[in-house]
Amino acid sequence: ECVRLLNALGIEEKEESTIRNPQSAIFISPSWRHDIAIEEDLVEEIARHVGYENIKTELPPSYGAGEYQPTEHRESRLRFALADQGFDEALSYSFIDTEHDGVVETVPGLVSEESFVTLKDSVIEGAVRMRQTLLPGLLDAVRLNFNHQRRDLKLFELGKAFSANKPGELPNERELFAIAVTGGETIAHRKLSTRDVDFYDAKGAVESAIEAVGSPQPAFVDDEIKHLRRGQSAAIVFDGRKIGSVGRLNEEIAADYKFKQPVYVAEIDLQAVLASPQGSRTYAPLPKFPAIVRDVSFAVTRNVSFEMLRDAASKIKPDICREIAFVDIYEGKSLDDDKRSLTIRFEYRSDDRTLAETEIEEVHSRMVAELEEKFSVKQRT
């Protein structure tokens, strides 16, 4: 019908055009139609003769729009997992002020302080940098809540960080995940908090987030981080490389923001986590026989961590030892300044019988003795 209308107007189709490409055609307009030069002019001619009132108002088809990205389902599970723990999602600007340059240590291997992306025409006065970390925006959200007398906060954010590329190329983008926790832990329907949040609340939130996306758990290694307080900070190691950090905000940054209570933050390279294959879920029946637990406290030097003891015990543990877990750390009276008490829990259980006390004691004593010998530590009584 379109071809018939055009032919009636003297706009004839070039014969060989449909043979060369059946999905398109070439038309030749009469010499007196100087107003026809492009494809849209032909469309207008057809619409004019069909009648504009006969053309329905519809959106053009969009192929591939609105589909889920490969990692979107996993990120959705992360959001729900943190929301179940009382977290609120924060959304901050991707551009920040130059005063944040070099204040926060960026995710390792992602960007450097020399690779800033600077805006020539910023939307907000002074905010001329594309962010290399999510923490400045997250800390601004914490300060805003403090100004409104909200002291108990659990915030997280998923967003892109940017770093300059070679001249003439687009900037690098990386998906990051960050959290900030401060104040007290509150229970539903209660106004007062039950306890103050600490380092382990932030660490546990990171572990919950990574567990929600179905990736293996990272390792937390004691480390000095630029923007975190020494002794209350750790590097997050995933698949053999450092991908982020967690700890308490140091005094200098806290003073700049006028924070009068501890603020714990964490930031990881979420893109590296999501690049790992998603682990399969395994199910096992509930144990039929009871478990026996033994808590052991070791007097260790500060360079001996729970991970070191756990990894060494895992290599020598027998089949009946099902779990080795962290319990507590004590520092104070009755201990030297360079030592602390590290309490570990051993869980013993068998799938086919109830374990005898003598059997457990034999295995437990052997494992403790090997740990004492390997790390030159003593068991506290």
Side-chain angles (χ1 to χ4, degrees):
E1 178 64 13
C2 292
V3 172
R4 187 190 68 79
L5 288 173
L6 292 175
N7 289 337
L9 294 171
I11 305 171
E12 298 180 353
E13 183 181 0
K14 197 173 182 179
E15 294 180 357
E16 65 270 18
S17 65
T18 56
I19 301 176
R20 184 177 63 253
N21 187 355
Q23 296 181 353
S24 63
I26 298 176
F27 290 85
I28 301 174
S29 62
S31 58
W32 64 85
R33 293 297 303 270
H34 302 291
D35 58 323
I36 298 177
I38 58 176
E39 178 183 356
E40 285 74 10
D41 295 334
L42 299 178
V43 175
E44 184 180 5
E45 289 297 312
I46 295 172
R48 186 166 58 89
H49 284 80
V50 170
Y52 290 106
E53 70 279 1
N54 296 321
I55 300 176
K56 297 180 180 179
T57 303
E58 294 181 358
L59 289 174
S62 180
Y63 301 101
E67 62 187 14
Y68 283 105
Q69 298 301 313
T71 60
E72 197 165 348
H73 289 291
R74 300 172 72 182
E75 291 182 7
S76 178
R77 293 202 301 268
L78 184 153
R79 288 183 168 94
F80 279 112
L82 291 180
D84 290 342
Q85 299 177 37
F87 277 81
D88 293 307
E89 183 172 5
L91 298 174
S92 58
Y93 290 113
S94 296
F95 29 88
I96 58 178
D97 198 285
T98 54
E99 65 181 11
H100 299 293
D101 291 354
V103 175
V104 175
E105 183 175 319
T106 57
V107 171
L110 176 61
V111 291
S112 63
E113 294 183 2
E114 293 77 22
S115 58
F116 292 114
V117 178
T118 304
L119 303 176
K120 294 182 179 179
D121 187 13
S122 61
V123 179
I124 300 176
E125 184 179 357
V128 297
R129 297 282 200 221
M130 297 299 291
R131 64 185 179 189
Q132 293 188 337
T133 168
L134 306 183
L135 293 182
L138 209 54
L139 294 177
D140 284 341
V142 172
R143 177 168 56 188
L144 179 64
N145 278 270
F146 281 177
N147 292 339
H148 286 79
Q149 306 303 317
R150 295 190 71 247
R151 300 293 177 181
D152 303 329
L153 297 174
K154 287 185 176 182
L155 301 176
F156 77 94
E157 183 173 7
L158 279 72
K160 294 287 185 66
F162 305 86
S163 63
N165 211 333
K166 298 178 181 178
E169 296 183 3
L170 291 173
N172 295 315
E173 297 183 21
R174 200 77 174 174
E175 189 84 14
L176 301 185
F177 163 70
I179 64 169
V181 294
T182 184
E185 181 70 31
T186 57
I187 300 177
H189 309 299
R190 293 192 181 184
K191 195 64 177 177
L192 296 178
S193 60
T194 57
R195 63 174 181 82
D196 293 335
V197 297
D198 55 20
F199 171 87
Y200 296 102
D201 290 285
K203 174 176 176 288
V206 173
E207 292 173 327
S208 298
I210 295 179
E211 181 182 4
V213 301
S215 297
Q217 284 296 329
F220 295 84
V221 182
D222 184 25
D223 196 6
E224 292 187 17
I225 311 297
K226 183 177 182 179
H227 59 281
L228 300 180
R229 187 175 185 178
R230 185 175 181 180
Q232 296 190 42
S233 60
I236 303 173
V237 179
F238 183 82
D239 199 20
R241 75 179 185 91
K242 184 177 176 181
I243 64 166
S245 60
V246 58
R248 178 177 172 177
L249 207 63
N250 65 29
E251 288 81 356
E252 182 180 357
I253 298 178
D256 290 340
Y257 280 93
K258 298 182 180 180
F259 293 161
K260 297 181 179 180
Q261 64 188 52
V263 177
Y264 299 88
V265 297
E267 186 173 37
I268 65 171
D269 182 359
L270 183 61
Q271 192 165 326
V273 175
L274 295 176
S276 65
Q278 191 171 0
S280 58
R281 295 182 180 273
T282 58
Y283 297 88
L286 294 174
K288 296 181 180 179
F289 300 94
I292 307 298
V293 297
R294 292 286 187 270
D295 290 351
V296 182
S297 296
F298 293 103
V300 301
T301 56
R302 294 182 178 273
N303 60 345
V304 177
S305 64
F306 162 71
E307 285 78 9
M308 297 169 62
L309 294 174
R310 181 193 59 192
D311 293 343
S314 298
K315 296 179 181 179
I316 59 177
K317 73 174 185 179
D319 293 337
I320 63 172
C321 184
R322 298 304 176 88
E323 186 180 6
I324 303 171
F326 170 81
V327 177
D328 193 17
I329 288 181
Y330 170 76
E331 299 175 358
K333 296 180 179 179
S334 74
L335 290 173
D336 296 336
D337 294 338
D338 61 338
K339 289 190 176 182
R340 57 185 177 182
S341 176
L342 183 60
T343 304
I344 300 176
R345 175 166 297 175
F346 297 88
E347 182 178 322
Y348 302 94
R349 188 180 65 248
S350 175
D351 292 332
D352 53 11
R353 69 186 188 281
T354 300
L355 295 174
E357 185 69 25
T358 55
E359 184 179 7
I360 297 174
E361 189 61 34
E362 179 184 355
V363 173
H364 180 71
S365 299
R366 176 163 51 86
M367 291 185 64
V368 171
E370 292 191 25
L371 289 177
E372 289 179 336
E373 181 179 357
K374 181 177 179 61
F375 295 97
S376 299
V377 297
K378 293 183 178 181
Q379 180 178 355
R380 298 185 69 219
T381 57

